[in-house]
Amino acid sequence: MSEQKGLILAIESSCDETAAAVVEGGHRILSNIVASQIAIHAPYGGVVPELASREHLRNIVPVVRAALDKAGVGLPDLDAIAVTEGPGLAGALLVGVAYAKSLAFALNKPLLAVNHLEGHIHAVLMAHREMGNGRSLALVVSGGHTHLYVVEHGGYRNVGATLDDAAGEAFDKVAKLLGLGYPGGPWIDALATHGDPTSVAFTLTQVKQKAHRPGTRVDRFAFSFSGIKTAVLRFVQIHDLYPSIELRREALAVIPSPGPADALPLCDARTLGLIASFQRAVVEDLKRKSFQAAEALGAESILVSGGVAANRELRARFAEEAGRKGLPIAFPTMALSTDNAAMIAAAAWQQFQAGGFAALDLTADASLALGTK
Ligand code: KG4
Ligand code: ZN
């Protein structure tokens, strides 16, 4: 290995972003390139796995090249190659893993295998290194995950997860149902500010041990977001919002790259109230369980990360509650909230220092778990 500046090239391809970053010493971001596939998947209202793999194949070489160019480093300057091993879409992950392995082999550099969820947690820790000391409660909330972890001494204990949809998935599905764009989170975030969040009373499913399938373990702080999606659907049916949804869908379809500002004049007060109430209910549920878990498990701080951590109401409500409880709280920067490779390099740093390198027979693990139960 070269004299240690600790230059890591990280590659992330677990879902619908092809990303590469060069990070020095685990926190100094020299480049962070993300090629989004949003436009490819938008017509389908969700990620199509086969299309995602194909796009990763198309993007991986130029994205890695752009990351190196932007950082002003050449391949020989690197100290290690890090890659997301899982969890995520199998075919998508394989593109990054195969490419990273080939690079590591060809350059004779060490390979580091990173858990995507640990990456999300490091997206916060990169900018708030002081939070890495002591015991923290981390909420990872994205399109594919809603997990609670106790983070301590660089290790993770999973203390809660969703039993069905991830919170971001609920945002995406509700947005799709209401004729809004993909991914739905940013649309709902923007439109919710124009609606009355108390106009529709939603209750989130309270998961009870005995209500769950016998023989399976239920986390103490389990989430469930499929019920609220159905409740939104029921509201749409009862108030016959379909004609206005159809009009909105058609109007947005003819606008090149439409955004929430285009949708606003196409939403009546009832729809905006529905959107705001949905968001409020999801955010309140995430907040309540996160703070309950933090208190019950003796956490000294709260870390919130993942795509949904970009939500403005979530940030405001969590910050308010943390202030009330006197608990330090941290979020990633907006750019590091959604999927990126800088967070993968940050998570790889500890492994790099400890010499925890992956073998060249590394393969993708679509359901890779993080930490102990
Ligand atoms: O972390 P991420 O980029 O990918 C996964 O690992 O899933 O998260 C994407 C998810 C999507 O479901 C998207 O709708 C949601 O994050 N999201 C948001 C916001 N921005 C992105 N949800 C709510 N409010 C936002 N502002
Ligand atoms: Zn993610």
Side-chain angles (χ1 to χ4, degrees), residues 42-364:
Y44 306 94
V47 178
V48 183
E50 290 78 3
L51 295 183
S53 311
R54 196 184 69 188
E55 285 309 300
H56 285 307
L57 273 176
R58 228 200 284 273
N59 293 335
I60 189 105
V61 174
V63 163
V64 168
R65 193 168 294 148
L68 292 167
D69 287 352
K70 176 94 191 291
V73 303
L75 287 170
D77 303 326
L78 298 171
D79 292 303
I81 317 287
V83 66
T84 304
E85 178 187 3
L89 301 169
L93 286 163
L94 272 174
V95 176
V97 168
Y99 191 71
K101 283 200 300 190
S102 319
L103 268 184
F105 177 70
L107 299 168
N108 196 22
K109 307 269 182 194
L111 180 69
L112 298 155
V114 177
N115 185 306
H116 180 80
L117 297 166
E118 185 174 12
H120 273 302
I121 293 172
H122 277 268
V124 193
L125 293 176
M126 274 179 108
H128 301 272
R129 283 192 286 165
E130 73 288 355
M131 298 275 203
N133 309 318
R135 178 181 294 189
S136 301
L137 191 281
L139 169 67
V140 181
V141 63
S142 72
H145 312 282
T146 307
H147 287 291
L148 285 171
Y149 295 98
V150 169
V151 184
E152 199 170 22
H153 307 306
Y156 307 90
R157 184 155 55 95
N158 183 205
V159 294
T162 181
L163 298 175
D164 40 57
D165 291 351
E169 197 178 348
F171 273 89
D172 295 340
K173 287 179 176 169
V174 164
K176 185 177 181 188
L177 171 69
L178 297 178
L180 304 172
Y182 171 82
W187 290 71
I188 288 183
D189 187 342
L191 293 169
T193 59
H194 301 276
D196 173 5
T198 63
S199 62
V200 187
F202 288 119
T203 43
L204 262 290
T205 318
Q206 294 312 312
V207 185
K208 300 223 173 62
Q209 287 289 142
K210 62 177 184 301
H212 196 54
R213 265 173 294 141
T216 58
R217 187 181 178 282
V218 177
D219 295 304
R220 192 157 156 212
F221 303 101
F223 297 95
S224 168
F225 294 107
S226 69
I228 190 163
K229 185 187 63 188
T230 313
V232 172
L233 174 64
R234 289 286 299 140
F235 186 94
V236 165
Q237 289 168 337
I238 290 165
H239 298 281
D240 194 22
L241 300 183
Y242 286 117
S244 63
I245 290 173
E246 215 31 63
L247 279 176
R248 187 159 50 243
R249 197 170 276 134
E250 282 167 14
L252 290 173
V254 297
I255 299 175
S257 327
D262 301 306
L264 183 57
L266 304 166
C267 295
D268 59 8
R270 178 179 271 162
T271 301
L272 292 170
L274 173 65
I275 290 170
S277 303
F278 160 76
Q279 176 174 277
R280 171 69 53 93
V282 172
V283 166
E284 282 299 315
D285 186 63
L286 291 168
K287 186 187 87 180
R288 201 169 46 78
K289 286 179 187 144
S290 301
F291 282 86
Q292 272 176 0
E295 196 169 337
L297 301 164
E300 297 144 56
S301 62
I302 297 204
L303 313 173
V304 190
S305 65
V308 183
N311 186 273
R312 285 169 295 170
E313 168 141 1
L314 183 145
R315 286 186 179 227
R317 298 264 149 197
F318 270 67
E320 197 178 84
E321 185 72 5
R324 236 194 315 267
K325 297 248 155 73
L327 271 183
I329 187 163
F331 301 92
T333 59
M334 284 296 184
L336 295 186
S337 288
T338 47
D339 288 349
N340 64 88
M343 69 185 194
I344 301 303
W349 180 239
Q350 254 177 332
Q351 274 163 259
F352 175 74
Q353 287 176 303
F357 302 127
L360 285 177
D361 62 355
L362 176 73
T363 186

